[in-house]
Every structure is written in C-alpha cells, then in structure tokens.
C-alpha cells in the first residue's frame, strides 16, 4: 500500500509558490552566460565612436571562439539556407538612438564545412574570429551624450565537442557611442533618406545570404507567419485596453451545461475510487465504523457523515482551487516543472521503488487521535485517509481540472464541480456504512490492484514528460531538451513497456506471482503494444519530414504534446498576423472581415483544431476571404517577431491579449474564435463567436465562417 503525505505537501507547495515565479533580469548589459564566455569572447564596437545626429556609423559585432576551448561558431546566412539548422541569428534592433539600415550579410571569411548531423549535406562553421557589420544612422532625435544600444534580435551560439551554448542580444555588450552637439558635414544623403522613412520594418535574415527571407510558421496550418516589430509593452497594453471600449456586439459562447459538468466531475470522483491507494481502504474504513457504532444505526450514520464531510471539505477545496486557477496554473512554467517532478516521484513510488509515508511524528499523532474514536477520531481518520490516497487521486483530480480549465468558468460551476468530485469520492463510505451487507459484493483487493498501480505509474511517467515539455516551451524560445520527438519517443517506450508488463514479461518488487493472465489483462496489453507500434513511425523522418500516422488518435497525441514550430511550405498563401490593429487596418483596405483566433502556445485543443480542421478544403477556402490574426493569451511565440523582444515582452503581450478577451467576450476559453470588422463610426463590431472550443464538426465551423462573413458584408 502506497501511503503519501509528501504528494499533498508538494501539491500545496506548487500552488503557493507558482505566483512568485519571477523571471531573472536578462537585460543586464554584457551579461554573457559563463559557459558561453568560456568558449568565446564577444566585442561590440561603434565606428566612429563619436558621431553627430544624422551621421552613418558601423556597429561591429565580433565573436572569437577560444582556441583553448576548441570552440566554433556558425554563419547567420549559411549557403544551404534553411537546411542548416545550426546558425547564428541576426536581425536589426528596433529604431531608437540608432536607426539600422542596409542589408545583413555574413563577412567574407573562410567558412569550414563538416557533415551535417542528419548525414545529408554539410554545415558551415568557423573556429576563427568573425565580425559582422551592422550599418546604422544616428537618429535625428537622439539626445546629446553617451548612448548604449542593446542588440536585440541577435541570437548567437558557440559550440564545442560537448555542447552548444546560446545567448541573445540583451546579454551581449551594448553598442556604446556618444552623440555630439552640432551639425555634421559628413551626412550620407542616401543613408539619411533611408533611415528617416517612417518606421522601416526590421530586416529579416535571408535563407541563403540573398535578400529577403522565407516566412516562418508556428503550427502545421500556419502557411505564413507575418513577422512584426515588437511594440513597447506599455503601448501595446494601452492599445488593447482601448479596443475594449470600441468593440461592440460581442457575446460569449454559451457555457457548458452545469449539470453535464457536475456529472463529469462526479464520474472522475468515482473513477478515483478504483485505484490501489483507495479501494483497499473502503472495507477497512467501513469495518471501523461498524465496530465503533456497536450495532447502532444512528451512531453509524453520525460517524459516516462526519467521515464523508471531512473528505468532501478537503478534496472539495482542492478541486475548487484547481478549477479556479487551472487556466493560469497550466501555463506557468514553475507549475509545470513542479508537476513534472511530482508525477515522476509518484510514478517511481507506484512502481514499488519506495513507499512515500507520513513523517513518523505526524503518523503517531494521527493514529493516537484516530484511536480515541468518536467524532474527533473520525475526523483525523478521514484526514489521514485523504492524505494517503492522494498519490492515486491527484492525477484524476488534475485531469478533471485540466479539462474544465479549457472552458469558460464561473464561480457557481467551479464550486459545484469541486463538490461533485469530492461527494462522489466519499459517497461509497456513507452507503456501505448504512448497508454493510454490500461489502460482500466488493471484489477482493489483490494482485489485480498491484497491476493497476503499475499501469498508473506508467501513465504518471508519461504525464511527467508532458509537464516538463510544457515548462520548457514557456521558458525557452524553442525546446532543446524535451523536444516533441523526445517526449513522443518516451511515450512509445512507456506504452511498449506497459504492454510487456501486462503480459508478465517482467515483474516489479511488489507483484505477486501470476503464471496466467486474464483476458481483460491480455486485451489491455495488446492495446498498449498496439499504441506503441502506431505512434512509432512518427519518430522516423524521410527528407526531413516526419511520417505522420493517419487517424484521430495520432492527431490527439500530436496536439496534446504540442508539436514543434515548422518551416513554411513552398507555395504558401495563408498569412496569419498577431497584431489586431494591423489586421483591422488591412481589413479597411481589403474590405474583408477579421477572423480572430484567441489561442495559446501551450493550448492542446488549439493545436488539435489547427491539425484536423483548419487544413480542410471548406475551411481553407473560407479563410482566404478573411484577414486572419492570432492573439496568443499566454506568450506570443518568438517566430512571429522580426526581432525577438524577449520572454518578458512576449508574455506581457500575451497577458494584454488575455485581458482583452476576458473584458470583451467575458470568457477565458481557449481556443475562442470570433469574426469582427471595423465600422465607419470607428467602432469594431463582432459578427460571430463560435460556440465550441474543440471543433467537433468541420462543416459547422465552415458554415459559421461563411455566415459571419456574409453578416459583416451587409
């Protein structure tokens, strides 16, 4: 029997600690990571170091790999273009004291070549110092005095035989120069004219050293991702706040039926009972009631009521807390790291590696209180049981809260759902205390519960990988450790190992000898082995493209594990922006309404719709008749920017989008789809809000797009 107070303590810990998860200040000047500095030196020089307003200067960025570290770095525009994944990224910072102009290119150095990791093609690199030159004009509005310009938009990496270390422009030494007083006689007229155009978009790194760039996408359906210049955080938030008063006609999608939600909560509570931490305790606990009641029905009723109400209070509060804050908790990186670690610890416990128990002092105190009997003893017994059972109950409670967290929510629903989950969980104790004869009908615990325990361990291990991947997606611009391929490979291995376990191919420490297996056990073993074989082809790549299994099961798995950002396809024609103002401006010119996709970087249902519904012909045809904009409510992905403004700015923009959604549509449901169009009076009118998060009928969604578009045209 696995006994656990630590899981509950860890759960409380992550709930309390998540809001305090402040990110470190990454804007410090020249704050190179130690591992990067050990492999290469970086210098930034402005030539000339003193210039007057309107003069042209060169910002020279030099990266010198250290010979003693046997390190190297890469070009920004390799000759193989998109085929070479290992590269540096150069993009001009936004206009400020310096206005960057011209074209970005690699210097003419002797780039070496080595075989690509994939075995197809060669990657360029250099072990010698390399200097990139960025041309800029001192802004006519720059104030006189010393200046320090951060090279935002630049991302470098340096490697050695062990690993590669990245860094971004905000950690590089700044471009320092001095603006002098007076008029200059050396102003380049062509440079000045280019710099003073209102405001130029930041150049994008070309794929092979030529002008221009291939568009970048963030999901399989995003044919073209429109890159944008980041606006100041305060300005963007104020812009979205102003939209709240101009948007009219918005109505939130109807919430799910309260009774259906309550029924779902109760079902999850009942499922939690058939777990190895809970099921064996049912007859033991009821027997204690019967013994203490001494045959009195009234006493049994009183003790059972106290016991069940204690469980309902503890579990109900836990469920309510998760339901209330799940939308925020599910995307917070600290929460996901702690959940990943917690589920990993629980999985090893369920495998029988160790037992997680209450501290001895607390265990003795609870036993002493419980042994006194009566109401007080019953309350402490219920508390002890709730803590002990949390190892198995937590995944079901979290799974239920995760489903609810994707829908719009209101306090009545949250309270009702939490109480329904806890009441269903506690109900059997009350019923069996009143009708003890039903105990004989319960199946005996034994080896089958050990098997359930191990299968749950495999499932919790799979969940741990998912949580850690979600955390890395929020912490890094792109995953480097818990990649989609790694987590999918983990799921394939876990499913295969679970199938072998159910076939008795190996045993774990707490298992009883079972020479034969039952038919249900065989069926479950085949299901897990079949799932492993079904998912495995997705790990294989031909010509750089994964072999995507067909069917709804893989579509669900792929969306749940949040696929990696993908490069644009040749001939792409559908453009998705991430700026509502730009979409509205485009709508005024084209006359097409705006389709708004409220989405999230870590939203599984969003990816599921994008994989299964958006590519369908009827939907794709309708999309061509809209200006399309994605409003990420957690964090705008880096590829949507010409120059990465940093994690804080991208998260702040997502927060502003989320506040706008909640203020206008009165819901934080993800995904949420709306159609709107600018009006002649300056207002923005909403012509339709889709009533589902996960799209279950592509035809219905296409009809919604057509109907909303026709309304906007009238």
């Amino acid at each position: 029997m696995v006994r656990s107070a630590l899981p509950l303590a860890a759960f409380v810990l992550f709930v309390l600690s998540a809001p305090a998860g402040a990110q470190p200040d990454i804007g410090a000047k020249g704050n190179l990571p130690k591992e990067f500095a050990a492999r290469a030196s970086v210098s930034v020089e402005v030539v000339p170091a003193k210039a007057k307003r309107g003069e042209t200067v060169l910002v020279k960025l030099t990266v010198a790999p250290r010979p003693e570290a046997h390190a190297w770095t890469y070009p920004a525009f390799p000759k193989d273009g998109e085929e070479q994944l290992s590269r540096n990224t150069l993009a001009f910072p936004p206009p400020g004291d310096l206005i960057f102009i011209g074209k970005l290119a690699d210097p003419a150095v002797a780039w070496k070549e080595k075989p690509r990791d994939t075995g197809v093609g060669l990657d360029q690199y250099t072990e010698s110092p390399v200097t990139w030159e960025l041309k800029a004009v001192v802004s006519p509005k720059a104030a006189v005095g010393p200046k320090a310009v951060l090279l935002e938009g630049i991302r470098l990496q340096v490697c050695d035989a062990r690993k590669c270390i990245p860094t971004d422009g905000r950690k590089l030494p700044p471009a320092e120069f001095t603006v002098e007083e007076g008029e200059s006689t050396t102003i380049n007229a062509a440079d000045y004219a280019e710099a003073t155009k209102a405001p130029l978009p930041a150049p994008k790194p070309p794929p092979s050293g030529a002008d221009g760039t291939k568009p970048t996408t963030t999901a399989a359906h995003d044919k073209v991702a429109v890159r944008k210049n980041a606006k100041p955080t305060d300005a963007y938030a104020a812009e979205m706040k102003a939209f709240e008063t101009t948007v009219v006609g918005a109505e939130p999608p109807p919430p799910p039926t309260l009774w259906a939600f309550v029924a779902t909560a109760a079902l999850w509570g009942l499922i939690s009972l058939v777990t190895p931490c809970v099921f064996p305790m049912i007859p033991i606990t009821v027997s204690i009631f019967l013994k203490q009641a001494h045959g009195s029905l009234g006493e049994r009723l009183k003790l059972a009521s106290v016991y069940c109400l204690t469980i309902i209070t503890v579990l109900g509060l836990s469920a309510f807390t998760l339901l209330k804050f799940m939308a925020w908790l599910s995307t917070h990186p600290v929460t996901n790291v702690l959940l990943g670690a917690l589920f990993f610890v629980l999985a090893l416990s369920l495998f029988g590696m160790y037992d997680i128990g209450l501290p001895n002092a607390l265990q003795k105190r609870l036993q002493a209180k419980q042994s006194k009997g009566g109401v007080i003893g019953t309350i402490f017994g219920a508390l002890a049981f709730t803590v002990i059972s949390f190892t198995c109950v937590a995944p079901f409670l979290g799974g239920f809260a995760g489903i609810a967290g994707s829908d719009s929510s209101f306090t009545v629903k949250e309270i009702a759902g939490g109480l329904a989950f806890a009441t269903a969980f506690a109900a059997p104790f009350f019923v069996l205390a009143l009708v003890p004869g039903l105990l004989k009908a319960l199946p005996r615990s034994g080896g089958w519960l050990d098997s359930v325990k191990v299968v749950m361990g495999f499932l919790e291990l799979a969940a741990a990988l998912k949580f850690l991947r979600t955390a890395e997606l929020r912490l890094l611009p792109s995953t480097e450790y818990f990649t989609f391929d790694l987590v999918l490979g983990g799921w394939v291995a876990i499913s295969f190992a679970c199938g072998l376990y159910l076939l008795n191919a190996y045993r774990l420490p707490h298992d009883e000898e079972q020479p034969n297996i039952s038919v249900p056990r065989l069926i479950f073993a085949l299901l897990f082995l079949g799932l492993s074989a079904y998912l495995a082809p997705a790990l294989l790549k031909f010509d750089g493209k994964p072999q995507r299994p067909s069917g709804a099961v893989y579509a669900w798995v792929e969306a749940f594990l949040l696929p990696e950002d993908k490069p644009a396809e040749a001939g792409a024609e559908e453009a998705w922006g991430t700026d509502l103002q730009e979409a509205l401006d485009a709508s005024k010119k084209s006359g097409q309404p705006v389709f708004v996709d409220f989405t999230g970087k870590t939203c599984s249902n969003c990816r599921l719709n994008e994989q299964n519904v958006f590519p369908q012909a009827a939907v794709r045809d309708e999309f061509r008749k809209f200006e399309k904009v994605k409003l990420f409510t957690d964090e705008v992905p880096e590829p949507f920017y010409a120059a990465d403004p940093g994690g804080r700015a991208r998260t702040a923009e997502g927060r502003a989008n989320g506040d706008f959604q909640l203020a206008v549509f009165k819901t934080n449901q993800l995904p949420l789809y709306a159609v709107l169009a600018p009006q002649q009076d300056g207002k923005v009118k909403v012509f339709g809000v889709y009533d589902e998060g996960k799209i279950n009928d592509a035809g219905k969604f296409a009809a919604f797009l057509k109907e909303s578009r026709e309304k906007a045209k009238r």
Side-chain angles (χ1 to χ4, degrees), residues 300-639:
R300 289 207 311 269
L301 179 61
K302 182 180 73 172
L303 295 177
S305 300
V306 170
Y307 193 88
C308 294
L309 286 174
T310 303
I311 293 176
I312 291 171
T313 301
V314 175
L315 275 186
L317 286 175
S318 300
F320 173 79
T321 302
L322 279 179
L323 290 171
K324 186 67 177 176
F325 300 106
M326 192 64 190
W328 176 77
L329 288 173
S330 63
T331 62
H332 199 288
V334 174
T335 302
N336 281 278
V337 168
L338 290 173
L339 278 175
L342 173 62
F343 273 59
F344 182 76
V345 170
L346 297 183
L348 296 184
S349 173
L350 291 170
F351 289 153
M353 185 173 181
Y354 46 74
D355 286 338
I356 304 176
L358 292 168
N360 289 332
L362 180 58
Q363 186 173 0
K364 290 179 180 179
R365 179 167 296 186
L366 284 175
Q367 289 175 347
K369 293 286 187 181
Q370 186 176 359
S371 64
K372 294 181 179 179
V375 173
I376 300 299
T378 302
I379 291 175
F380 277 94
L383 287 173
F385 168 71
T386 305
V387 171
I388 289 171
S389 65
F390 206 80
T391 302
C392 297
V393 175
F396 295 98
L397 183 59
F400 162 59
I403 292 175
S406 64
D407 295 324
S408 58
S409 61
F410 52 97
T411 304
V412 173
K413 187 189 80 171
E414 293 156 357
I415 293 175
L419 288 177
F421 181 95
T423 302
F425 181 83
F429 297 95
F430 187 81
V431 173
L432 291 173
L434 294 182
V435 190
L438 294 177
L439 284 172
K440 297 179 180 179
L442 292 178
R444 293 181 178 275
S445 58
W448 69 276
L449 270 181
D450 289 333
S451 300
V452 172
K453 185 186 299 184
V454 173
V455 171
M456 285 188 62
F458 281 118
L459 297 178
E460 292 190 9
L461 198 59
L465 292 175
K466 154 67 175 170
F467 285 126
L468 294 174
R469 170 161 173 75
T470 301
E472 189 178 6
L473 280 171
R474 291 301 313 277
L475 289 171
L476 301 178
S478 60
T479 53
E480 299 178 11
Y481 304 101
F482 292 95
T483 62
F484 176 83
D485 288 345
L486 184 142
V487 176
L488 180 62
W491 277 34
V492 169
I494 288 169
S495 183
F496 184 71
C498 187
L500 292 181
Y501 170 80
L502 291 174
L503 290 176
N504 281 342
Y506 61 91
R507 312 305 299 152
L508 291 176
H510 51 51
D511 286 328
E512 299 176 358
E513 289 295 330
Q514 293 185 356
N516 299 316
I517 62 173
S518 64
V519 173
R521 186 181 178 112
L522 173 63
I523 292 174
F524 277 107
L526 294 177
L527 287 175
F528 278 106
L529 292 173
L531 179 64
S532 176
Y534 171 72
L535 296 178
L539 299 173
L540 305 177
K541 291 181 174 62
F542 296 97
D543 296 329
K545 296 181 179 179
Q547 304 306 295
R548 189 174 185 270
S550 61
V553 174
Y554 181 75
W556 180 88
V557 170
E558 185 179 33
F560 186 71
L561 296 184
L562 304 168
E564 306 284 1
D565 296 343
K566 299 178 181 179
E569 299 174 1
E573 58 184 49
E574 294 180 10
W576 290 82
T578 56
D579 190 293
L580 182 57
Q581 182 62 65
E582 292 179 2
L584 290 171
D585 291 342
S587 176
K588 292 176 182 177
K589 295 178 181 179
S590 66
Q592 295 181 330
V594 177
F595 175 79
V596 181
D597 176 2
F598 290 99
T599 185
K601 187 176 180 180
T602 57
C603 169
S604 294
N605 277 343
C606 304
R607 303 292 89 79
L608 192 62
N609 292 342
E610 292 162 4
Q611 297 285 356
N612 283 2
V613 179
F614 286 14
Q616 296 197 19
V619 175
R620 208 167 55 241
D621 290 344
E622 283 297 325
F623 274 159
R624 295 192 182 102
K625 303 167 187 176
F626 287 88
E627 302 294 340
K628 297 173 289 298
V629 60
K630 288 177 171 296
L631 295 183
F632 288 84
T633 61
D634 49 10
E635 176 188 343
V636 182
E638 179 187 358

Side-chain angles (χ1 to χ4, degrees), residues 24-317:
D25 182 7
I26 57 176
K29 297 180 180 180
N31 186 23
L32 278 176
K34 291 182 179 179
E35 290 187 291
F36 189 100
R39 291 167 174 80
S41 62
V42 178
S43 63
V44 178
E45 179 187 12
V46 180
V47 181
K50 296 181 179 181
K52 296 179 180 180
R53 288 182 286 252
E55 282 192 36
T56 301
V57 299
L58 284 180
V59 178
K60 297 184 177 182
L61 169 64
T62 301
V63 180
R66 299 187 185 278
E68 66 273 17
H70 305 287
W72 63 84
T73 190
Y74 301 97
F77 312 114
K79 69 177 184 179
D80 281 350
E82 297 293 338
E83 298 299 322
Q84 178 168 331
L85 300 179
S86 299
R87 62 173 69 198
N88 292 317
T89 300
L90 299 186
F92 286 147
D97 291 321
L98 290 178
I99 304 174
F100 290 84
I101 60 174
K103 302 173 183 178
L104 286 169
D106 288 319
V109 301
W111 297 101
K112 298 181 179 180
E113 295 182 342
K114 62 179 181 179
R116 189 166 295 145
D117 292 340
T118 60
V120 180
L122 301 173
D123 282 346
Q124 291 181 289
Y125 73 104
T126 182
E127 297 167 329
S128 304
V130 56
T131 299
W132 287 274
E133 295 185 350
L134 288 70
K135 191 176 183 181
V137 171
V138 180
S139 173
K141 300 179 182 179
V144 174
K147 305 294 178 185
V149 177
L150 291 179
L151 300 180
E152 299 182 47
I154 291 179
R155 183 176 173 84
L156 304 175
Q157 64 170 318
V158 62
C159 303
D160 60 17
R162 294 189 299 115
K163 58 182 175 180
C164 293
I165 306 299
T167 189
D168 59 57
R170 293 161 300 158
K171 295 182 180 179
L172 298 176
E176 296 182 331
F177 68 104
T178 301
V179 178
E180 294 185 320
E181 187 69 66
E183 298 297 325
S184 174
T185 58
T186 60
I187 292 178
N188 184 303
D191 291 348
Y192 186 85
E194 182 178 354
T196 52
K197 292 177 183 177
L200 295 172
K204 309 174 182 73
S208 57
D211 296 340
T213 181
K214 291 184 180 180
T216 307
T217 62
T218 58
H221 79 283
D222 295 330
K223 299 301 183 184
V224 181
V226 180
R227 294 192 177 198
K228 65 178 182 180
N229 291 317
K231 299 176 181 177
T233 300
D234 293 342
Y236 185 85
E239 181 180 283
M240 297 305 293
K241 191 72 176 176
F243 276 131
E244 295 176 10
T245 60
T246 61
V247 178
V248 296
E251 295 182 2
T257 305
L258 178 61
W259 292 113
F261 181 77
V262 168
T264 303
L267 178 62
W268 281 86
L270 291 173
I271 292 174
S272 302
L273 289 167
V274 193
T275 57
C277 314
V278 179
F279 189 81
M281 294 297 295
I282 296 176
I284 296 173
T285 302
V286 174
S287 298
I288 294 174
F289 291 161
L290 299 177
K291 182 178 180 181
Q292 291 184 4
H294 303 291
S296 170
L297 177 60
E299 188 67 15
R300 289 207 311 269
L301 179 61
K302 182 180 73 172
L303 295 177
S305 300
V306 170
Y307 193 88
C308 294
L309 286 174
T310 303
I311 293 176
I312 291 171
T313 301
V314 175
L315 275 186
L317 286 175

